[in-house]
């Protein structure tokens, strides 16, 4: 455990750059691994989650090297992954687990997936079910959790699958399994989720057809693809930028530029909601990086007002609710959120854990089955924690959100463990200390 008390800050001022997008970094490594030849990736997130993906691919025969700021991946071709000698340790990373399960499902490979205490509680049934229909044989721990053993089938069976939960990880697992499967694999997505897989698959030369039927997105992938190696530039992670955007909005006198932030519309709804709350967030230098829309964000301290968050926006800001709750705790009036059942199966139960954490810091929070209702202070500092540290439950986003809450508190906010922050944002504390110093 590495506890830390985050204390009231001076105005945050300066220009920062957040690390590469976690979702895109995982996909860049995996698709490069399936190309024939050497792909080069710049801006890759060097967080523990992405390094878990790299280590697993390496264990299945893919050479991955870092040359200065660039990562080089010597792909083995679609269908070319080899049997790993040992269990694949996924650490804290649900994305590594679910996407790699998809990849392995259509290879003649048997792999055991293990993870830390947080990951070992998370539901894998949502990928076990469709991958099982494709022919993979999966033996999981009780409740459909890790550790699990997956025996891939080659050739696998193409399926048409309607997603029962809005999950980009499940969608991507099926599409990745479909890559080494004869025929056409179809995913029907009633609620759109992040589309990084589709964008990057097309970039690598996969035959992908996108359509709409009765309001649902249809994604068809043609199997037995041949990938040519690519140069990929990974944009900055909007989910990491979120902590600094909220910090700049709520710490009086702040003005921060966050450069190179990915603003894919399937990811960027937090900034829409913060603007609805009165947040002053400007997009500068809009451009495209690695097939994704990107801009620099200029964020200034703002008087925020509570809002009712449209549940339809949830999938496009699913990882940003913990820090939105912190913004809500500082807003004037009530913020209501709903439709957030999925938050209960993230790295922690983010509704229960954030309700307890903000409550411990003195905010007015009510927990409902599918969301939180928060009555904000109208800009006055929170009391802060005095009765012991916040239990972050091995959840990086809880630790970073409560660090931001500490910046606007009388007593500071103590979190029990900052180590999980390194899963997605290794230099978070250094950037925060630099801006506040
Ligand atoms: C991710 C999808 C989301 C998100 C996770 C990353 C991805 O998970 O919460 O942090 O990279 O596809 P779900 O697919 O479970 O919603």
């Amino acid at each position: 455990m590495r506890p830390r008390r985050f204390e009231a800050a001076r105005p945050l001022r300066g220009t920062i750059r957040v690390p590469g997008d976690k979702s895109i970094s995982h996909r860049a490594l995996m698709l490069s691994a399936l190309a024939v030849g050497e792909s080069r990736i710049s801006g890759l997130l060097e967080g523990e989650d992405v390094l878990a993906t790299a280590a697993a691919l390496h264990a299945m025969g893919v050479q991955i090297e870092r040359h200065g700021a660039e990562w080089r991946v010597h792909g083995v071709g679609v269908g070319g992954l080899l049997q790993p000698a040992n269990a694949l340790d996924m650490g804290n990373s649900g994305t590594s687990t679910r996407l790699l399960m998809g990849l392995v499902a259509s290879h003649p490979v048997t792999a055991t997936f293990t993870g830390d205490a947080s990951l070992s509680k998370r539901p894998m049934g949502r990928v076990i079910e469709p991958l099982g229909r494709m022919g993979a044989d999966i033996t999981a721990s009780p409740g459909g959790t890790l550790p699990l053993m997956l025996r891939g089938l080659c050739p696998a069976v193409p399926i048409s699958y309607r997603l029962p939960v809005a999950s980009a990880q499940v969608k991507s697992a099926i599409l990745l399994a479909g890559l080494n499967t004869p025929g056409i694999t179809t995913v029907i997505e009633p609620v759109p989720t992040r589309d990084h897989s589709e964008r990057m698959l097309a970039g690598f030369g996969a035959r992908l057809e996108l359509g709409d039927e009765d309001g649902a997105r249809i994604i068809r992938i043609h199997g037995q693809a041949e990938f040519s190696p690519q140069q990929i530039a990974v944009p900055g992670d909007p989910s990491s930028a979120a902590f600094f955007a909220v910090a700049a909005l709520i710490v009086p006198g702040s003005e921060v530029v966050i450069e190179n932030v990915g603003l894919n519309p399937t990811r960027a709804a937090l900034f829409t909601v913060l603007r609805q709350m009165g947040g002053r967030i400007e997009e500068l230098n809009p451009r495209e990086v690695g097939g994704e829309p990107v801009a620099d964000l200029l964020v200034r301290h703002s008087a925020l007002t509570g809002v009712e968050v449209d549940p339809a926006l949830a999938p496009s800001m699913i990882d940003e609710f913990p820090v939105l709750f912190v913004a809500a705790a500082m807003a004037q009036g009530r913020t209501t959120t709903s439709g957030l059942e999925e938050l209960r199966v993230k790295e922690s139960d983010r509704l229960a854990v954030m309700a307890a954490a903000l409550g411990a810091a003195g905010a007015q929070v009510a927990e409902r089955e599918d969301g939180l209702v928060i009555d904000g202070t109208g800009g006055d500092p929170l009391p802060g924690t005095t009765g012991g540290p916040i239990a972050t439950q091995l959840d990086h986003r809880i630790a970073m959100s409560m660090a931001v809450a500490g910046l606007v508190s009388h007593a500071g906010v103590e979190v029990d463990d900052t180590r999980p922050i390194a899963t997605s944002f290794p230099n978070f504390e250094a950037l925060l200390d630099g801006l506040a110093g």
Side-chain angles (χ1 to χ4, degrees):
M1 295 281 228
R2 194 191 301 137
R4 176 169 170 188
R5 180 173 289 277
F6 292 89
E7 316 235 58
R10 281 186 279 176
L12 307 180
R13 291 186 166 265
T15 297
I16 58 166
R17 205 164 246 262
V18 293
D21 188 284
K22 181 154 75 71
S23 292
I24 297 174
S25 294
H26 285 295
R27 289 157 172 82
L29 287 173
M30 291 182 201
L31 296 191
S32 297
L34 300 182
V36 180
E38 185 184 275
S39 292
R40 297 184 173 195
I41 309 170
S42 61
L44 189 84
L45 169 64
E46 295 174 358
E48 288 165 7
D49 281 12
V50 175
L51 298 179
T53 287
L57 292 169
H58 179 74
M60 292 190 282
V62 182
Q63 251 191 66
I64 303 178
E65 296 149 15
R66 186 177 195 265
H67 286 258
E70 188 176 74
W71 287 74
R72 298 186 186 165
V73 181
H74 300 265
V76 294
V78 170
L81 294 177
L82 301 177
Q83 175 68 42
N86 299 304
L88 304 175
D89 180 3
M90 302 285 98
N92 189 253
S93 178
T95 311
S96 307
T97 310
R98 297 192 179 118
L99 270 57
L100 287 168
M101 283 173 67
L103 267 190
V104 172
S106 57
H107 277 76
V109 161
T110 299
T112 299
F113 291 81
T114 62
D116 72 4
S118 152
L119 183 59
S120 300
K121 286 189 213 142
R122 299 182 65 186
M124 296 300 151
R126 55 183 62 195
V127 277
I128 292 173
E129 207 250 330
L131 297 178
R133 288 198 204 181
M134 295 182 79
D137 179 13
I138 303 165
T139 311
S141 298
T145 57
L146 299 191
L148 65 75
M149 197 179 78
L150 187 156
R151 186 191 313 264
L153 179 69
C154 186
V157 183
I159 58 168
S160 175
Y161 192 75
R162 191 180 176 89
L163 294 182
V165 276
S167 166
Q169 293 179 355
V170 178
K171 168 177 67 177
S172 302
I174 299 166
L175 294 175
L176 290 174
L179 277 179
N180 195 39
T181 300
I184 298 175
T185 297
T186 305
V187 179
I188 302 157
E189 198 179 36
V191 181
T193 63
R194 63 190 68 193
D195 64 357
H196 306 302
S197 296
E198 294 93 305
R199 287 175 189 245
M200 203 181 288
L201 281 164
F204 269 88
R207 268 184 72 198
L208 199 72
E209 285 146 23
L210 304 176
D212 262 297
E213 260 169 47
D214 304 326
R217 281 184 84 230
I218 317 282
I219 306 142
R220 291 192 176 85
I221 189 153
H222 292 248
Q224 295 170 315
E226 273 202 26
F227 278 6
S228 39
Q230 301 294 313
Q231 294 252 7
I232 302 167
V234 179
D237 197 326
S239 301
S240 297
F243 300 105
F244 286 95
V246 169
L249 289 175
I250 63 178
V251 175
S254 297
E255 180 164 329
V256 174
V257 173
I258 314 170
E259 292 180 335
N260 191 39
V261 180
L263 292 175
N264 180 316
T266 61
R267 291 288 298 283
L270 172 74
F271 304 117
T272 308
V273 172
L274 290 173
R275 286 193 188 102
Q276 288 169 357
M277 296 173 79
R280 294 184 294 165
I281 305 177
E282 280 176 53
E283 287 172 24
L284 313 175
N285 309 316
R287 55 199 184 271
E288 196 166 287
V289 174
E292 298 272 345
V294 162
D296 304 326
L297 298 183
L298 167 61
V299 190
R300 296 191 178 95
H301 171 252
S302 306
L304 300 178
T305 311
V307 289
E308 195 167 322
V309 179
D310 179 358
L313 293 176
S316 342
M317 55 180 291
I318 195 69
D319 292 335
E320 283 63 77
F321 281 96
V323 78
L324 175 74
F325 297 147
V326 175
M330 293 300 292
Q332 177 72 51
R334 174 166 288 191
T335 295
T336 308
T337 56
S338 58
L340 304 183
E341 298 85 351
E342 272 295 299
L343 290 198
R344 296 200 183 274
V345 292
K346 295 295 180 188
E347 285 83 331
S348 68
D349 175 343
R350 286 181 174 161
L351 293 180
V353 174
M354 279 306 293
L358 280 173
Q364 297 295 318
V365 188
E367 182 183 346
R368 293 183 178 164
E369 203 47 52
D370 67 339
L372 299 187
V373 178
I374 298 175
D375 288 305
T377 64
D380 293 336
L382 295 167
T385 57
T386 45
I390 299 294
T392 51
Q393 311 276 8
L394 285 177
D395 188 332
H396 54 137
R397 298 199 201 282
I398 304 291
M400 289 186 276
S401 298
M402 293 312 295
V404 171
L407 304 179
V408 287
S409 68
H410 286 299
V413 167
E414 192 187 358
V415 302
D416 62 348
D417 195 4
T418 55
R419 285 174 317 169
I421 292 173
T423 59
S424 68
F425 199 164
N427 60 339
F428 169 79
E429 289 177 83
L431 283 179
L432 187 62
D433 295 342
L435 277 182

